[in-house]
């Protein structure tokens, strides 16, 4: 028997509504959410997620699929390299992005219900860390762009004030 755990996750910017209220959404690309969702989808299919699950969660996914109770056609060798295991991994998960809803759907197949849930929870945990890292980088980039624009506006203001002062002195008028 095989068991399936299905999860849906949405990659949303935490500060989108505050940006809308400030009228600053033009500074941030509208496709950031979609591109981050595609990054998560590709990440889940990658060998890197297997390494991250092992490093961050302490779970070697290969051992889940190498248990003796599994049908010998589906059972894997736990000593297999992660790169060799990747093709099998891609058959045991199904990840898709729905651009209409903005959700990423994840299905994890395993041979016990607890293993399916264990693997799905591990995927969600490391994916959440990835999304948080992407969000933090995006937030830093947004703040950097905003700071640059403020600095340019301040410089323009200084230049205009200097010109106004020079004009007042030249014309000998309080209100040029």
């Amino acid at each position: 028997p095989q068991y399936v755990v299905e999860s849906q996750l949405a990659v949303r910017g935490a500060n989108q509504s505050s940006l809308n209220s400030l009228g600053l959404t033009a500074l941030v690309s509208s496709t950031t959410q979609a591109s981050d969702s595609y990054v998560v989808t590709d990440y889940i299919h990658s060998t890197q997620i297997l390494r991250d699950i092992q490093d961050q969660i302490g779970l070697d996914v290969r051992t889940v699929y190498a248990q003796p109770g599994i049908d010998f056609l589906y059972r894997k060798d736990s000593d297999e390299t992660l790169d060799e295991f990747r093709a099998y991994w891609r058959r045991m998960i199904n990840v898709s992005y729905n651009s209409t809803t903005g959700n990423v759907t994840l299905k994890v197949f395993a041979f016990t219900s607890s293993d399916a849930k264990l693997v799905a929870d591990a995927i969600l945990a490391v994916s959440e860390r990835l999304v948080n890292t992407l969000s933090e980088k995006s937030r830093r980039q947004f703040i950097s762009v905003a700071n640059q624009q403020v600095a340019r506006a301040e410089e323009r203001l200084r230049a205009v004030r200097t010109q106004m002062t020079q004009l007042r002195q030249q014309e000998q008028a309080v209100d040029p």
Side-chain angles (χ1 to χ4, degrees):
Q2 282 191 4
Y3 295 85
V4 180
V5 171
E6 181 175 328
S7 301
Q8 289 193 10
L9 55 133
V11 179
R12 305 262 191 262
N15 56 358
Q16 284 179 339
S17 61
S18 63
L19 295 178
N20 286 336
S21 66
L22 295 174
L24 298 175
T25 53
L27 299 176
V28 181
S29 171
S30 63
T31 61
T32 302
Q33 175 184 331
S35 66
D36 286 353
S37 295
Y38 283 120
V39 167
V40 170
T41 300
D42 289 343
Y43 173 67
I44 293 172
H45 280 121
S46 73
T47 307
Q48 185 60 46
I49 195 169
L50 297 169
R51 289 184 186 101
D52 291 347
I53 289 172
Q54 193 168 4
D55 294 343
Q56 297 172 18
I57 308 295
L59 171 67
D60 187 351
V61 177
R62 295 171 294 185
T63 60
V64 172
Y65 296 101
Q67 296 176 18
I70 298 173
D71 183 337
F72 73 94
L73 293 173
Y74 283 96
R75 186 176 36 230
K76 294 306 284 179
D77 183 8
S78 62
D79 294 331
E80 205 171 48
T81 67
L82 289 176
D83 288 328
E84 293 169 340
F85 183 74
R86 183 172 163 229
Y88 180 81
W89 170 251
R90 288 178 150 228
R91 289 193 314 268
M92 299 310 286
I93 59 168
N94 184 348
V95 186
S96 61
Y97 171 65
N98 184 332
S99 59
T100 304
T101 63
N103 290 345
V104 175
T105 302
L106 166 69
K107 291 182 183 178
V108 177
F109 300 88
F111 300 98
T112 67
S113 59
S114 59
D115 285 345
K117 183 173 181 342
L118 178 69
V119 173
D121 287 346
I123 291 171
L124 292 173
V126 295
S127 295
E128 180 181 0
R129 288 180 184 159
L130 173 69
V131 169
N132 289 342
T133 300
L134 292 172
S135 295
E136 183 60 31
K137 286 180 181 179
S138 177
R139 197 175 4 255
R140 276 192 239 125
Q141 183 180 19
F142 173 76
I143 289 171
S144 173
V145 168
N147 284 338
Q148 290 172 358
Q149 289 181 343
V150 167
R152 274 187 259 146
E154 287 174 344
E155 186 56 41
R156 284 194 309 257
L157 178 63
R158 274 194 279 290
V160 168
R161 283 184 175 167
T162 301
Q163 290 173 349
M164 290 287 289
T165 301
Q166 290 172 351
L167 183 62
R168 282 185 188 134
Q169 290 173 350
Q170 181 181 5
E171 297 296 322
Q172 301 277 327
V174 176
D175 187 8

